[in-house]
Amino acid sequence: MTTAVRRGRPRNAAVDVAVVETVLRLLEEGAGVGELSMERIAREAGVGKATVYRRWPGKEALLLDVLRSLEADLQTPEPVGESVRDDLVLMLEFLRRRGLAKRSSAVLRAVITEIRSHPRLWRAYQDTVVQARREAVYEVLRRGMATGEIRADLDPELLADLFVGPMLARAVLREWQELPEGLAERIVDAVLDGVRPH
């Protein structure tokens, strides 16, 4: 059995990091997604344009890796499984902390504001990052329905929006609003009051 011989120089991970960090810095500084050309990114990162194109076929692929890099810095917590309330608080607290991370919020706001002009990027982000997190919330909600902690006649997708939406609105869409300690508990308790079995 023969193994394929890889041609050319091995990929330099430091270059990958430099390019991703450059995009993050530019977005934090207020550059819009539309202003970021591959040429500008290469120039700001101090690498050749061909170097960037060897790693990413286009800007959307690069931006998707930039978004994924933010997720790598903040590990989504695993639900403990003892109480639906506690698991929901854990998940919303993760979103709160993520909203307090200036870099994460700045990048997400930059992408969200230009979603209409980059729908493939948003769809890829939803499919590869957001969907897994949503499925974890659905699982907690279905467990709550099975144990009687939540009404069984409700739609898990709608419930997920009711729990997660207020935190996302503050963290991403209304960055001027504070994200105080205890906000996750207040949101979860307010929604649970309305969706518990009567």
Side-chain angles (χ1 to χ4, degrees):
M1 185 173 106
T2 60
T3 56
V5 177
R6 192 172 173 182
R7 298 185 179 183
R9 289 179 295 182
R11 186 163 158 165
N12 185 345
V15 172
D16 294 14
V17 171
V19 171
V20 168
E21 284 295 316
T22 296
V23 176
L24 286 168
R25 177 178 55 78
L26 290 169
L27 290 169
E28 278 183 286
E29 290 171 356
V33 172
E35 300 169 52
L36 296 180
S37 66
M38 294 293 267
E39 292 79 5
R40 179 182 179 187
I41 292 165
R43 185 175 63 252
E44 296 268 353
V47 300
K49 187 169 71 171
T51 299
V52 177
Y53 274 110
R54 269 198 302 273
R55 289 159 166 77
W56 297 278
K59 186 169 74 171
E60 289 191 354
L62 170 54
L63 288 172
L64 182 57
D65 274 357
V66 168
L67 289 170
R68 286 179 177 143
S69 77
L70 293 172
E71 302 300 322
D73 292 340
L74 288 167
Q75 291 297 317
T76 306
E78 285 291 321
V80 179
E82 293 175 5
S83 155
V84 167
R85 179 197 180 271
D86 290 348
D87 283 346
L88 289 169
V89 167
L90 186 73
M91 292 171 159
L92 263 64
E93 178 61 17
F94 165 79
L95 292 178
R96 187 185 76 85
R97 283 186 286 110
R98 190 168 185 256
L100 290 172
K102 182 185 172 211
R103 168 169 279 190
S104 178
S105 294
V107 172
L108 281 177
R109 278 195 299 276
V111 172
I112 286 172
T113 56
E114 301 188 41
I115 183 175
R116 292 186 188 278
S117 58
H118 296 86
R120 285 188 309 167
L121 170 63
W122 188 249
R123 173 50 50 201
Y125 177 65
Q126 293 288 322
D127 291 346
T128 61
V129 176
V130 175
Q131 190 57 36
R133 193 174 298 138
R134 287 188 69 83
E135 288 297 336
V137 175
Y138 297 156
E139 186 59 37
V140 170
L141 294 172
R142 288 188 196 102
R143 194 180 79 232
M145 292 174 176
T147 60
E149 294 170 80
I150 296 173
R151 283 171 36 205
D153 62 325
L154 299 172
D155 173 24
E157 286 192 34
L158 175 61
L159 278 177
D161 290 342
L162 291 173
F163 281 106
V164 175
M167 189 68 80
L168 284 180
R170 283 189 178 215
V172 179
L173 301 178
R174 299 198 302 265
E175 69 273 17
W176 61 88
Q177 285 198 302
E178 292 184 2
L179 297 169
E181 291 276 348
L183 180 60
E185 288 88 343
R186 283 167 44 210
I187 292 171
V188 169
D189 288 340
V191 178
L192 273 179
D193 276 348
V195 299
R196 281 193 178 103
H198 300 301

